[in-house]
Amino acid sequence: MATNETIQMIPDFLNGLLGNEIGFVAWTLLKIVCIVAPIMGAVAYATLAERKVIGYMQIRIGPNRVGPFGLLQPVADGVKLLLKEIITPSASSKGLFFLAPIWVLVPALAAWAVVPFYPGFVLADLNVGLLYVMAITSIGVYGVILAGWASNSKYAFLGAMRAAAQVVSYELAMGFALVGVMMVSSSLNMTEIVAKQAGAYGLASWNLLPLLPLFVVYFISGVAETNRAPFDVVEGESEIVAGHMIEYSGMSFALFFLAEYANMWLIAAMASVMFLGGWLSPFPETWPILGAPSFLWWVAKVAFMMFCFLWFRATFPRYRYDQLMRLGWKIFIPVTLVWIIVVAAWMQTPFSLWN
Amino acid sequence: MTLALFYIFAAVLVFGALRVITAKNPVHAVLWLILSFFTSACLWILLKAEFLAVSLVVIYVGAVMVLFLFVVMMLDLNFEELRKGFWKFFPVAAVVAAIMLVEMILVLTNRYAQIPGAQLVETGPTVRELGLQIYTTYFLPFQLSAVLLLVGMIAAIGLTIRKRKNTKYQQPGEQIAVKAADRVRVLKMDAEARLEAPQPKPADDQQAQG
C-alpha cells in the first residue's frame, strides 16, 4: 500500500537524523501524540455531544451560545476550569491529593497503546493486548480511592468506598466476558481478534451475534466501570454530593472528568474491536464499496457505542446500591460463566463457527 | 539499553520495597508496595515473560492491593502505639534476621546447592506455550492448585459469614413480584350528584380576611 510506504519514510528519516535508538523513541513519541491529541479532542467534544444529545432527548436545545451551535463550548469550559483557583483542603494529604487525579487520567490514556485503529496502525502490537488493557484499566481505581482518602472528607471517602467496591465487582464480569472473546479468537492480540471476525457475511461473521450475552454484559459492565449513569452511585449527587471529587476544584477537578470521558471512549473502542469487528464492514465482502474494511467503520462503531452511553444516561434512573451489587455478582457473572461453557461446547461440535 | 532499563527498574524496586517498611503512614506503605509490584512486572517484561508480568498487574495491583488499601484506609490506627515496642523487640528480630541472612549465604554460595540459572527459551507467544504446558504436562498440579484455591475461598467465606437476627435483607424476588393490586385498592364508586355549594355571606368573608 502506498500510504504505508509514505508513513514508513518518517521513522526512516528520524533514524537517519537521530540514530536508531533516539530515532525509535522520537518516532514512538510522535505516534503517541498522533493518538492522544485526537483522543483529547474527542473527550472535549464528548462533553458537548452529551449536553446536546441529552438536551434533544429532553426537548431542549442544549448549549448554543458559545460559537455556532455551541461548538466552542468545550473550549470555553476548558478555559474557565484552567483559570479557576485550585483549592487544597487544609487537612488533606497534599501529595496524594494532587497525585490522585493524575493517577485516574494516565491509565485511561495508557490503555490506548494497544487499541488497533486499522491493520498496522497500533502503537504497541502486544501478544497480550487484551490482558494489558485489563491490567491498565484496573489501575485507574486507585486514583478514585486515593482522591477519597486524601481529601480527608466523609463524603469523598464514602464515594471512594463505593467506587472501589463497584469497579472491583464489575471487573470480574468484564473479565469473564473477555474470556469468551479470547476463546473464539484463540488470541490475545487485538489486531488478530478483529482479523478473526472477518468473513463473507459481514455483520453475521462478527463476534456480536454468537457472543451476544457476553457483549451485553461487557458493555453494561463498561458503563458501571466508568461510573456513568445509571451506575453513578459513586458520585450520586443526591446522597454524597459529588463523591470523591467533592474537594477538588479547577483543573484538578477537570482531570477526573477528562479521565471519565477518556474511559468511555476506551470502552466504546474496545467493544467495537472485540465484538463489532473493528474496521470491518457490516456488509458482505462482495459488495463493491460498502463491503470494504475502512477506518471509517471503526469510527462509526465507536461513535455509536459512545452515543449509547449518553442514551443510557438520559433513559434510566440510578440503580440502588444493593441492586447494583446484585446485578454484578448474581446475574452478570453467572450469565457469562454459562455462556463461556456454551461457547466452549459449541466450539467442539461440527457446528463451530471458529475453525 | 536493556541493561540500563534493568538497573533503573531494579533501583526503583529496591527503593520502593525499602519505603514499604519505612513509611510512617500505612496508606503510603501500601502505595509503595503497589509501586514495587508494578516495577517487578516491568522486570519480568524485560525477561520476555509478558503474560506473567501482565497477570501480576491484573491480580496483585488490580485486585488484591485495591482490597488491601481499602482495609488499611478504614483502620483507625494509632501510629505512636504501633511504633512503641520497636526497640523492645529489636534484639529478637535482629537475631532472626541474622540467622536468615547466614542461611541464605550458605545456600547461595555452597557449590553443592547450586541452583541452575533460568534459561531463556525462545518460543512463540508465551501465553499459548503456557496454556499448552499447563493443560498437558502439568495438568494435575494445575488442577490441584485450583482445588486448593477453592478450598481457601470456601474457608474464608465460612469463617466470616455470620447471621445476625436483627439484620434486614432486601428480597429482590418479592420486590419484583409485587403487583399494583397488592399495594393500591381501587374502589368502584357510583357517580354522585353535585351538591349546591352554600353561598358564603359577604360579611363572613370580610371577617375571615380581617
mmCIF file of all heavy atoms in Angstrom, chain A residues 193-230:
data_model
loop_
_atom_site.group_PDB
_atom_site.id
_atom_site.type_symbol
_atom_site.label_atom_id
_atom_site.label_comp_id
_atom_site.label_asym_id
_atom_site.label_seq_id
_atom_site.Cartn_x
_atom_site.Cartn_y
_atom_site.Cartn_z
ATOM 1 N N ILE A 193 -7.736 -10.410 16.857
ATOM 2 C CA ILE A 193 -9.136 -10.595 17.253
ATOM 3 C C ILE A 193 -10.049 -10.008 16.192
ATOM 4 O O ILE A 193 -11.059 -10.608 15.813
ATOM 5 C CB ILE A 193 -9.389 -9.947 18.632
ATOM 6 C CG1 ILE A 193 -8.705 -10.766 19.714
ATOM 7 C CG2 ILE A 193 -10.874 -9.846 18.914
ATOM 8 C CD1 ILE A 193 -8.774 -10.175 21.076
ATOM 9 N N VAL A 194 -9.682 -8.838 15.668
ATOM 10 C CA VAL A 194 -10.501 -8.243 14.608
ATOM 11 C C VAL A 194 -10.403 -9.076 13.342
ATOM 12 O O VAL A 194 -11.412 -9.378 12.703
ATOM 13 C CB VAL A 194 -10.065 -6.789 14.339
ATOM 14 C CG1 VAL A 194 -10.865 -6.217 13.191
ATOM 15 C CG2 VAL A 194 -10.255 -5.950 15.567
ATOM 16 N N ALA A 195 -9.168 -9.500 12.994
ATOM 17 C CA ALA A 195 -8.984 -10.258 11.760
ATOM 18 C C ALA A 195 -9.811 -11.540 11.797
ATOM 19 O O ALA A 195 -10.349 -11.981 10.789
ATOM 20 C CB ALA A 195 -7.507 -10.579 11.566
ATOM 21 N N LYS A 196 -9.930 -12.118 12.981
ATOM 22 C CA LYS A 196 -10.675 -13.367 13.134
ATOM 23 C C LYS A 196 -12.168 -13.166 12.858
ATOM 24 O O LYS A 196 -12.874 -14.117 12.566
ATOM 25 C CB LYS A 196 -10.463 -13.839 14.577
ATOM 26 C CG LYS A 196 -10.782 -15.281 14.825
ATOM 27 C CD LYS A 196 -9.653 -16.189 14.438
ATOM 28 C CE LYS A 196 -10.047 -17.611 14.804
ATOM 29 N NZ LYS A 196 -9.162 -18.616 14.280
ATOM 30 N N GLN A 197 -12.631 -11.926 12.969
ATOM 31 C CA GLN A 197 -14.060 -11.671 12.767
ATOM 32 C C GLN A 197 -14.409 -11.401 11.319
ATOM 33 O O GLN A 197 -15.574 -11.187 10.980
ATOM 34 C CB GLN A 197 -14.510 -10.486 13.628
ATOM 35 C CG GLN A 197 -14.338 -10.737 15.098
ATOM 36 C CD GLN A 197 -14.741 -9.544 15.926
ATOM 37 O OE1 GLN A 197 -15.861 -9.093 15.858
ATOM 38 N NE2 GLN A 197 -13.816 -9.022 16.709
ATOM 39 N N ALA A 198 -13.395 -11.367 10.449
ATOM 40 C CA ALA A 198 -13.664 -11.132 9.034
ATOM 41 C C ALA A 198 -14.315 -12.374 8.446
ATOM 42 O O ALA A 198 -13.991 -13.489 8.821
ATOM 43 C CB ALA A 198 -12.366 -10.832 8.297
ATOM 44 N N GLY A 199 -15.263 -12.161 7.573
ATOM 45 C CA GLY A 199 -15.923 -13.303 6.953
ATOM 46 C C GLY A 199 -16.756 -12.840 5.785
ATOM 47 O O GLY A 199 -16.905 -11.637 5.546
ATOM 48 N N ALA A 200 -17.301 -13.793 5.063
ATOM 49 C CA ALA A 200 -18.036 -13.456 3.848
ATOM 50 C C ALA A 200 -19.370 -12.782 4.150
ATOM 51 O O ALA A 200 -19.948 -12.138 3.279
ATOM 52 C CB ALA A 200 -18.263 -14.718 3.028
ATOM 53 N N TYR A 201 -19.854 -12.920 5.375
ATOM 54 C CA TYR A 201 -21.219 -12.464 5.637
ATOM 55 C C TYR A 201 -21.292 -11.122 6.345
ATOM 56 O O TYR A 201 -22.348 -10.741 6.820
ATOM 57 C CB TYR A 201 -21.967 -13.518 6.448
ATOM 58 C CG TYR A 201 -21.911 -14.882 5.822
ATOM 59 C CD1 TYR A 201 -21.115 -15.884 6.349
ATOM 60 C CD2 TYR A 201 -22.632 -15.145 4.657
ATOM 61 C CE1 TYR A 201 -21.041 -17.122 5.752
ATOM 62 C CE2 TYR A 201 -22.558 -16.372 4.043
ATOM 63 C CZ TYR A 201 -21.766 -17.361 4.590
ATOM 64 O OH TYR A 201 -21.682 -18.574 3.992
ATOM 65 N N GLY A 202 -20.174 -10.418 6.449
ATOM 66 C CA GLY A 202 -20.221 -9.102 7.084
ATOM 67 C C GLY A 202 -20.613 -9.196 8.543
ATOM 68 O O GLY A 202 -19.991 -9.921 9.324
ATOM 69 N N LEU A 203 -21.664 -8.518 8.896
ATOM 70 C CA LEU A 203 -22.099 -8.406 10.290
ATOM 71 C C LEU A 203 -22.271 -9.763 10.961
ATOM 72 O O LEU A 203 -21.949 -9.930 12.131
ATOM 73 C CB LEU A 203 -23.412 -7.629 10.316
ATOM 74 C CG LEU A 203 -23.940 -7.132 11.659
ATOM 75 C CD1 LEU A 203 -24.627 -5.809 11.445
ATOM 76 C CD2 LEU A 203 -24.893 -8.100 12.308
ATOM 77 N N ALA A 204 -22.765 -10.762 10.204
ATOM 78 C CA ALA A 204 -23.031 -12.068 10.804
ATOM 79 C C ALA A 204 -21.745 -12.789 11.195
ATOM 80 O O ALA A 204 -21.790 -13.736 11.975
ATOM 81 C CB ALA A 204 -23.845 -12.922 9.842
ATOM 82 N N SER A 205 -20.599 -12.358 10.659
ATOM 83 C CA SER A 205 -19.347 -13.037 10.994
ATOM 84 C C SER A 205 -18.697 -12.447 12.236
ATOM 85 O O SER A 205 -17.729 -12.994 12.740
ATOM 86 C CB SER A 205 -18.355 -12.916 9.835
ATOM 87 O OG SER A 205 -18.951 -13.356 8.659
ATOM 88 N N TRP A 206 -19.171 -11.312 12.704
ATOM 89 C CA TRP A 206 -18.568 -10.692 13.886
ATOM 90 C C TRP A 206 -18.830 -11.541 15.105
ATOM 91 O O TRP A 206 -19.653 -12.464 15.078
ATOM 92 C CB TRP A 206 -19.161 -9.302 14.122
ATOM 93 C CG TRP A 206 -18.919 -8.320 13.027
ATOM 94 C CD1 TRP A 206 -18.094 -8.474 11.959
ATOM 95 C CD2 TRP A 206 -19.544 -7.046 12.895
ATOM 96 N NE1 TRP A 206 -18.161 -7.368 11.171
ATOM 97 C CE2 TRP A 206 -19.028 -6.475 11.715
ATOM 98 C CE3 TRP A 206 -20.463 -6.344 13.662
ATOM 99 C CZ2 TRP A 206 -19.425 -5.210 11.283
ATOM 100 C CZ3 TRP A 206 -20.859 -5.093 13.241
ATOM 101 C CH2 TRP A 206 -20.335 -4.536 12.060
ATOM 102 N N ASN A 207 -18.176 -11.161 16.211
ATOM 103 C CA ASN A 207 -18.440 -11.846 17.474
ATOM 104 C C ASN A 207 -19.782 -11.435 18.061
ATOM 105 O O ASN A 207 -20.245 -12.049 19.010
ATOM 106 C CB ASN A 207 -17.338 -11.505 18.488
ATOM 107 C CG ASN A 207 -16.078 -12.277 18.197
ATOM 108 O OD1 ASN A 207 -16.115 -13.294 17.527
ATOM 109 N ND2 ASN A 207 -14.968 -11.777 18.693
ATOM 110 N N LEU A 208 -20.394 -10.407 17.493
ATOM 111 C CA LEU A 208 -21.583 -9.819 18.109
ATOM 112 C C LEU A 208 -22.685 -10.848 18.340
ATOM 113 O O LEU A 208 -23.165 -11.016 19.450
ATOM 114 C CB LEU A 208 -22.094 -8.674 17.226
ATOM 115 C CG LEU A 208 -23.382 -8.026 17.684
ATOM 116 C CD1 LEU A 208 -23.169 -7.312 18.992
ATOM 117 C CD2 LEU A 208 -23.897 -7.051 16.650
ATOM 118 N N LEU A 209 -23.078 -11.569 17.274
ATOM 119 C CA LEU A 209 -24.233 -12.454 17.412
ATOM 120 C C LEU A 209 -23.928 -13.715 18.218
ATOM 121 O O LEU A 209 -24.668 -14.020 19.151
ATOM 122 C CB LEU A 209 -24.805 -12.783 16.028
ATOM 123 C CG LEU A 209 -25.409 -11.555 15.339
ATOM 124 C CD1 LEU A 209 -25.926 -11.912 13.963
ATOM 125 C CD2 LEU A 209 -26.509 -10.946 16.180
ATOM 126 N N PRO A 210 -22.842 -14.462 17.914
ATOM 127 C CA PRO A 210 -22.608 -15.672 18.723
ATOM 128 C C PRO A 210 -22.316 -15.350 20.184
ATOM 129 O O PRO A 210 -22.610 -16.159 21.061
ATOM 130 C CB PRO A 210 -21.396 -16.328 18.068
ATOM 131 C CG PRO A 210 -21.071 -15.561 16.870
ATOM 132 C CD PRO A 210 -21.885 -14.341 16.819
ATOM 133 N N LEU A 211 -21.729 -14.186 20.447
ATOM 134 C CA LEU A 211 -21.379 -13.833 21.828
ATOM 135 C C LEU A 211 -22.281 -12.727 22.363
ATOM 136 O O LEU A 211 -21.870 -11.934 23.193
ATOM 137 C CB LEU A 211 -19.921 -13.387 21.904
ATOM 138 C CG LEU A 211 -18.865 -14.385 21.449
ATOM 139 C CD1 LEU A 211 -17.482 -13.804 21.637
ATOM 140 C CD2 LEU A 211 -18.975 -15.682 22.210
ATOM 141 N N LEU A 212 -23.516 -12.684 21.889
ATOM 142 C CA LEU A 212 -24.394 -11.570 22.264
ATOM 143 C C LEU A 212 -24.528 -11.385 23.778
ATOM 144 O O LEU A 212 -24.403 -10.254 24.268
ATOM 145 C CB LEU A 212 -25.773 -11.737 21.618
ATOM 146 C CG LEU A 212 -26.680 -10.528 21.752
ATOM 147 C CD1 LEU A 212 -26.079 -9.329 21.037
ATOM 148 C CD2 LEU A 212 -28.053 -10.815 21.195
ATOM 149 N N PRO A 213 -24.746 -12.473 24.578
ATOM 150 C CA PRO A 213 -24.848 -12.251 26.026
ATOM 151 C C PRO A 213 -23.575 -11.632 26.606
ATOM 152 O O PRO A 213 -23.646 -10.751 27.464
ATOM 153 C CB PRO A 213 -25.062 -13.664 26.586
ATOM 154 C CG PRO A 213 -25.516 -14.474 25.442
ATOM 155 C CD PRO A 213 -24.940 -13.878 24.214
ATOM 156 N N LEU A 214 -22.418 -12.084 26.082
ATOM 157 C CA LEU A 214 -21.159 -11.533 26.596
ATOM 158 C C LEU A 214 -21.021 -10.070 26.212
ATOM 159 O O LEU A 214 -20.523 -9.249 26.985
ATOM 160 C CB LEU A 214 -19.975 -12.330 26.058
ATOM 161 C CG LEU A 214 -19.930 -13.799 26.454
ATOM 162 C CD1 LEU A 214 -18.672 -14.441 25.930
ATOM 163 C CD2 LEU A 214 -20.008 -13.942 27.949
ATOM 164 N N PHE A 215 -21.472 -9.734 25.008
ATOM 165 C CA PHE A 215 -21.396 -8.340 24.566
ATOM 166 C C PHE A 215 -22.243 -7.447 25.471
ATOM 167 O O PHE A 215 -21.789 -6.394 25.914
ATOM 168 C CB PHE A 215 -21.862 -8.222 23.115
ATOM 169 C CG PHE A 215 -22.024 -6.809 22.649
ATOM 170 C CD1 PHE A 215 -20.914 -6.002 22.500
ATOM 171 C CD2 PHE A 215 -23.274 -6.288 22.376
ATOM 172 C CE1 PHE A 215 -21.048 -4.694 22.088
ATOM 173 C CE2 PHE A 215 -23.416 -4.980 21.963
ATOM 174 C CZ PHE A 215 -22.298 -4.182 21.816
ATOM 175 N N VAL A 216 -23.458 -7.923 25.751
ATOM 176 C CA VAL A 216 -24.351 -7.117 26.605
ATOM 177 C C VAL A 216 -23.722 -6.936 27.989
ATOM 178 O O VAL A 216 -23.651 -5.825 28.519
ATOM 179 C CB VAL A 216 -25.737 -7.791 26.700
ATOM 180 C CG1 VAL A 216 -26.589 -7.103 27.744
ATOM 181 C CG2 VAL A 216 -26.420 -7.772 25.351
ATOM 182 N N VAL A 217 -23.215 -8.051 28.553
ATOM 183 C CA VAL A 217 -22.590 -7.973 29.878
ATOM 184 C C VAL A 217 -21.381 -7.051 29.821
ATOM 185 O O VAL A 217 -21.184 -6.208 30.696
ATOM 186 C CB VAL A 217 -22.184 -9.378 30.366
ATOM 187 C CG1 VAL A 217 -21.296 -9.271 31.590
ATOM 188 C CG2 VAL A 217 -23.404 -10.200 30.677
ATOM 189 N N TYR A 218 -20.577 -7.187 28.759
ATOM 190 C CA TYR A 218 -19.373 -6.362 28.664
ATOM 191 C C TYR A 218 -19.729 -4.887 28.634
ATOM 192 O O TYR A 218 -19.152 -4.078 29.360
ATOM 193 C CB TYR A 218 -18.567 -6.721 27.403
ATOM 194 C CG TYR A 218 -17.359 -5.850 27.263
ATOM 195 C CD1 TYR A 218 -16.216 -6.128 27.992
ATOM 196 C CD2 TYR A 218 -17.369 -4.722 26.454
ATOM 197 C CE1 TYR A 218 -15.113 -5.314 27.912
ATOM 198 C CE2 TYR A 218 -16.267 -3.905 26.367
ATOM 199 C CZ TYR A 218 -15.142 -4.210 27.094
ATOM 200 O OH TYR A 218 -14.055 -3.392 27.033
ATOM 201 N N PHE A 219 -20.699 -4.538 27.815
ATOM 202 C CA PHE A 219 -20.971 -3.107 27.661
ATOM 203 C C PHE A 219 -21.613 -2.526 28.924
ATOM 204 O O PHE A 219 -21.246 -1.431 29.351
ATOM 205 C CB PHE A 219 -21.845 -2.846 26.435
ATOM 206 C CG PHE A 219 -21.881 -1.402 26.077
ATOM 207 C CD1 PHE A 219 -20.701 -0.733 25.778
ATOM 208 C CD2 PHE A 219 -23.060 -0.694 26.075
ATOM 209 C CE1 PHE A 219 -20.707 0.610 25.476
ATOM 210 C CE2 PHE A 219 -23.069 0.653 25.762
ATOM 211 C CZ PHE A 219 -21.896 1.303 25.468
ATOM 212 N N ILE A 220 -22.526 -3.280 29.531
ATOM 213 C CA ILE A 220 -23.148 -2.753 30.758
ATOM 214 C C ILE A 220 -22.104 -2.661 31.868
ATOM 215 O O ILE A 220 -22.063 -1.682 32.619
ATOM 216 C CB ILE A 220 -24.347 -3.623 31.167
ATOM 217 C CG1 ILE A 220 -25.399 -3.592 30.057
ATOM 218 C CG2 ILE A 220 -24.960 -3.110 32.453
ATOM 219 C CD1 ILE A 220 -26.600 -4.433 30.340
ATOM 220 N N SER A 221 -21.216 -3.675 31.948
ATOM 221 C CA SER A 221 -20.140 -3.589 32.938
ATOM 222 C C SER A 221 -19.248 -2.393 32.635
ATOM 223 O O SER A 221 -18.755 -1.743 33.554
ATOM 224 C CB SER A 221 -19.291 -4.850 32.924
ATOM 225 O OG SER A 221 -20.073 -5.967 33.169
ATOM 226 N N GLY A 222 -19.058 -2.112 31.356
ATOM 227 C CA GLY A 222 -18.254 -0.953 30.980
ATOM 228 C C GLY A 222 -18.879 0.332 31.477
ATOM 229 O O GLY A 222 -18.191 1.229 31.971
ATOM 230 N N VAL A 223 -20.212 0.416 31.379
ATOM 231 C CA VAL A 223 -20.907 1.600 31.896
ATOM 232 C C VAL A 223 -20.693 1.702 33.403
ATOM 233 O O VAL A 223 -20.449 2.779 33.937
ATOM 234 C CB VAL A 223 -22.411 1.536 31.551
ATOM 235 C CG1 VAL A 223 -23.142 2.717 32.142
ATOM 236 C CG2 VAL A 223 -22.612 1.497 30.052
ATOM 237 N N ALA A 224 -20.736 0.543 34.086
ATOM 238 C CA ALA A 224 -20.529 0.555 35.534
ATOM 239 C C ALA A 224 -19.074 0.886 35.882
ATOM 240 O O ALA A 224 -18.808 1.588 36.852
ATOM 241 C CB ALA A 224 -20.910 -0.804 36.127
ATOM 242 N N GLU A 225 -18.132 0.372 35.081
ATOM 243 C CA GLU A 225 -16.712 0.638 35.327
ATOM 244 C C GLU A 225 -16.404 2.119 35.241
ATOM 245 O O GLU A 225 -15.572 2.638 35.981
ATOM 246 C CB GLU A 225 -15.866 -0.063 34.266
ATOM 247 C CG GLU A 225 -15.697 -1.531 34.456
ATOM 248 C CD GLU A 225 -14.588 -1.838 35.424
ATOM 249 O OE1 GLU A 225 -13.434 -1.593 35.076
ATOM 250 O OE2 GLU A 225 -14.888 -2.310 36.507
ATOM 251 N N THR A 226 -17.029 2.799 34.288
ATOM 252 C CA THR A 226 -16.744 4.215 34.111
ATOM 253 C C THR A 226 -17.585 5.083 35.045
ATOM 254 O O THR A 226 -17.525 6.304 34.967
ATOM 255 C CB THR A 226 -17.002 4.633 32.665
ATOM 256 O OG1 THR A 226 -18.264 4.111 32.259
ATOM 257 C CG2 THR A 226 -15.949 4.095 31.735
ATOM 258 N N ASN A 227 -18.352 4.430 35.912
ATOM 259 C CA ASN A 227 -19.184 5.154 36.885
ATOM 260 C C ASN A 227 -20.159 6.105 36.217
ATOM 261 O O ASN A 227 -20.382 7.223 36.680
ATOM 262 C CB ASN A 227 -18.321 5.930 37.876
ATOM 263 C CG ASN A 227 -17.442 5.011 38.666
ATOM 264 O OD1 ASN A 227 -17.820 3.885 38.955
ATOM 265 N ND2 ASN A 227 -16.262 5.476 39.005
ATOM 266 N N ARG A 228 -20.737 5.662 35.107
ATOM 267 C CA ARG A 228 -21.688 6.503 34.394
ATOM 268 C C ARG A 228 -23.109 6.122 34.801
ATOM 269 O O ARG A 228 -23.361 5.006 35.256
ATOM 270 C CB ARG A 228 -21.539 6.266 32.887
ATOM 271 C CG ARG A 228 -20.249 6.753 32.341
ATOM 272 C CD ARG A 228 -20.252 8.229 32.205
ATOM 273 N NE ARG A 228 -21.322 8.672 31.331
ATOM 274 C CZ ARG A 228 -21.588 9.947 31.082
ATOM 275 N NH1 ARG A 228 -20.895 10.881 31.655
ATOM 276 N NH2 ARG A 228 -22.549 10.287 30.270
ATOM 277 N N ALA A 229 -24.048 7.046 34.596
ATOM 278 C CA ALA A 229 -25.451 6.745 34.841
ATOM 279 C C ALA A 229 -25.835 5.555 33.963
ATOM 280 O O ALA A 229 -25.377 5.472 32.836
ATOM 281 C CB ALA A 229 -26.293 7.966 34.480
ATOM 282 N N PRO A 230 -26.665 4.602 34.432
ATOM 283 C CA PRO A 230 -27.370 4.590 35.719
ATOM 284 C C PRO A 230 -26.571 3.970 36.869
ATOM 285 O O PRO A 230 -27.153 3.617 37.863
ATOM 286 C CB PRO A 230 -28.579 3.713 35.388
ATOM 287 C CG PRO A 230 -28.068 2.740 34.387
ATOM 288 C CD PRO A 230 -27.031 3.460 33.593
#
